[in-house]
Amino acid sequence: MKIIYSIQAKKQLYSIKEYISLDSRKNAIEYLSKIKNKIEILSFYPYIGKVNSTFNLDYIRDFVVFGYKIIYKINKENILILAIYKYIDFDETTI
């Protein structure tokens, strides 16, 4: 399955990169690469994550990668990454 990132997820990845870049641009790029590589696991095992408790739908799931919660939707032909965040105060109903 193909992995597709929503606009929101892309913005969140960019924010993660920018924050880490304050310390080291090289580390930020490497870290983002590691996160994306872990997300690629979903293309082989889309049901590896648990059902998201906010939506409570079998096709919307959570996958934790290096302390970041990845919320994704399983479609027939792809997996859509809806959000990527670290902090618990993120309102999942805004997705």
Side-chain angles (χ1 to χ4, degrees):
M1 288 187 142
K2 183 176 179 180
I3 304 287
I4 299 172
Y5 292 83
S6 69
I7 292 170
Q8 180 172 340
K10 287 179 184 179
K11 287 179 182 179
Q12 290 167 321
L13 279 174
Y14 179 79
S15 293
I16 293 166
K17 183 180 128 205
E18 288 300 301
Y19 180 74
I20 297 171
S21 288
L22 295 173
D23 183 47
S24 167
R25 180 154 174 78
K26 180 183 174 218
N27 287 347
I29 292 167
E30 288 175 3
Y31 195 70
L32 241 52
S33 178
K34 288 179 182 179
I35 290 173
K36 286 183 172 185
N37 286 339
K38 290 288 186 183
I39 289 172
E40 285 298 318
I41 291 171
L42 297 174
S43 63
F44 301 103
Y45 305 102
Y47 292 93
I48 196 170
K50 68 176 188 142
V51 173
N52 179 279
S53 60
T54 301
F55 296 100
N56 200 27
L57 299 167
D58 188 50
Y59 57 90
I60 299 180
R61 296 181 166 254
D62 300 337
F63 183 57
V64 178
V65 174
F66 302 123
Y68 289 92
K69 188 174 186 180
I70 315 298
I71 300 176
Y72 64 98
K73 180 180 180 182
I74 304 167
N75 296 310
K76 220 175 205 182
E77 297 179 8
N78 59 51
I79 294 172
L80 177 62
I81 306 299
L82 299 171
I84 302 169
Y85 65 93
K86 186 156 186 117
Y87 302 108
I88 197 157
D89 60 355
F90 182 80
D91 183 4
E92 292 181 2
T93 61
T94 63
I95 295 176

